Amino acid sequence: MVDETSPQLSPMPDDETAGRLTVGDGPAAREIAWRRRRSRGRTDAPTIVWLGGYRSDMRGTKAERLLDFARREDLGYCRFDYSGHGESTGRFEDGTIGGWTDEAAAVLRELGDGPLVLSGSSMGAWIALNLVRNAEAFGLAGRIRGLLLLAPAPDFTERLILPKLTAEQRAAIAIDGRLVVPSAYASEPDVYTRALFDDGRANLVLDGLIDTGCPVTIVQGMADADVPFEHALALVEHLPHQAVILSLVRDGDHRLSRPQDLDLIERSLADLVRAAVELG
C-alpha cells in the first residue's frame, strides 16, 4: 500500500518555506513538518495541497512534480508529512486515519481561508475524501474546490486488506495488536495495527453518497497490484453524478510515477485548477 518515499533529502527550493505545526496535546502531541509555496502574483487561483500515501513522504516523485507545476503556473502549493512519516514526529504505529486526517485539517487551516485543490494519492485520497465530507466540522466549509485522487484507496483497511488476511493474521491483530507483513516497496515491512483497523471503521467513506461539492478527477492504473481498478469504479458510484472524471491507465501501476503518468496527472490538475478558478 506504500505509495512512494523519497530516495534522499532534497534541498529546499528558493520559493518554498518550511515550518512545523503542533497537533494534539500532552503525550499525544506531534509536530507536523510542512512546506509551502506562495503565489507571487495570482490572487484568483487555489492552493494545491499534496496528501501522500501510507508510509510515504512529502518529497516523492509526484509531490515534486506538483511543485514544478505550481511554480510554472504561479500557484500556491503545500505538502506535509503525517505523524510517523518523513520529517514529522510521532511513532508510525500510533497513527490512524482519523489522526492523520486531523493533522491534514490543521495544516489546511494554517494556510488561511483561501480556496484549495486537494491531491491525494492512495491513502491520501481517503484523507481527502474524509476532509471534504466533514469540511464544516474541520472549519473548511466552502474552501475545497477540487479533488485529484490518484490510485485512491478509501476504506482500504476494511475493503482491501482485511479480505485478504488469513485466520492466523487476523488472530495476530486481535491478540498482538499488530500485523507485520513484507513490503513490496521498501526493505522495512508494512505494519498494520488493531487501532488502524478500528479507527478505519469509524472513518469509512464508502458507506453512502460523498457530497464533495466540487469537481473530482480520479487517475487509476489498471495494473495496480495494491488497489484494483474496480475499487476506483466503486468509488465513482459513491460520488455525485456531475463533474466526476475517471481516467484509467491501461498499464499503470500503483505508483503512477512514470513520465506518461506524471503528464496525465499534471493535465488533470490543470483542468481542476481552471474549474476552481471559474467557481470563484
Side-chain angles (χ1 to χ4, degrees):
M1 191 61 64
V2 177
D3 178 23
E4 60 182 5
T5 55
S6 55
Q8 60 184 6
L9 297 182
S10 55
M12 173 71 71
D14 293 338
D15 57 351
E16 269 194 308
T17 56
R20 304 186 74 84
L21 175 66
T22 300
V23 177
D25 300 311
R30 56 270 192 205
E31 289 190 355
I32 305 304
W34 55 266
R35 290 184 172 195
R36 180 181 188 182
R37 180 194 189 276
R38 295 177 183 270
S39 172
R40 297 185 174 181
R42 295 188 62 173
T43 59
D44 63 334
T47 294
I48 300 165
V49 180
W50 173 252
L51 302 168
Y54 192 73
R55 285 188 60 199
S56 303
D57 62 51
M58 62 175 166
R59 303 195 192 194
T61 302
K62 292 191 291 294
E64 295 285 346
R65 179 63 174 259
L66 265 59
L67 172 62
D68 291 339
F69 171 78
R71 183 178 291 123
R72 291 196 310 274
E73 300 296 323
D74 191 23
L75 300 170
Y77 181 61
C78 180
R79 49 182 168 161
F80 67 96
D81 286 326
Y82 310 113
S83 59
H85 293 67
E87 301 169 48
S88 293
T89 66
R91 290 198 325 150
F92 173 76
E93 292 185 32
D94 292 335
T96 61
I97 300 300
W100 291 327
T101 301
D102 288 340
E103 294 163 6
V107 172
L108 299 188
R109 290 192 295 269
E110 192 74 7
L111 296 177
D113 58 1
L116 308 165
V117 169
L118 307 185
S119 180
S121 181
S122 192
M123 183 190 77
W126 188 356
I127 301 294
L129 292 167
N130 223 1
L131 289 168
V132 75
R133 197 180 197 193
N134 300 285
E136 186 171 354
F138 285 124
L140 303 171
R143 292 185 58 197
I144 301 174
R145 306 292 178 83
L147 296 178
L148 177 61
L149 309 179
L150 312 175
D155 301 2
F156 74 83
T157 50
E158 203 75 8
R159 289 184 173 236
L160 300 179
I161 296 180
L162 273 180
K164 297 181 180 179
L165 298 183
T166 65
E168 291 77 10
Q169 289 174 320
R170 289 172 179 260
I173 295 172
I175 298 171
D176 302 329
R178 64 201 300 266
L179 173 67
V180 180
V181 296
S183 172
Y185 301 99
S187 57
E188 296 181 357
D190 290 333
V191 179
Y192 301 107
T193 66
R194 183 170 57 216
L196 180 70
F197 286 100
D198 291 344
D199 179 82
R201 291 190 190 98
N203 285 276
L204 298 178
V205 295
L206 300 181
D207 55 357
L209 182 67
I210 307 171
D211 188 4
T212 62
C214 66
V216 180
T217 296
I218 299 169
V219 180
Q220 172 69 50
M222 295 184 71
D224 189 332
D226 294 298
V227 181
F229 73 89
E230 291 87 354
H231 193 66
L233 297 177
L235 170 58
V236 170
E237 294 179 358
H238 293 270
L239 295 171
H241 296 297
Q242 69 276 14
V244 177
I245 296 173
L246 170 61
S247 294
L248 294 175
V249 182
R250 179 71 179 177
D251 58 347
D253 62 12
H254 188 59
R255 293 190 174 188
L256 292 172
S257 293
R258 303 171 303 172
Q260 61 267 41
D261 301 329
L262 297 172
D263 288 344
L264 174 59
I265 289 169
E266 187 172 299
R267 292 195 303 271
S268 301
L269 184 57
D271 289 342
L272 281 171
V273 167
R274 281 193 291 270
V277 172
E278 290 173 2
L279 284 174

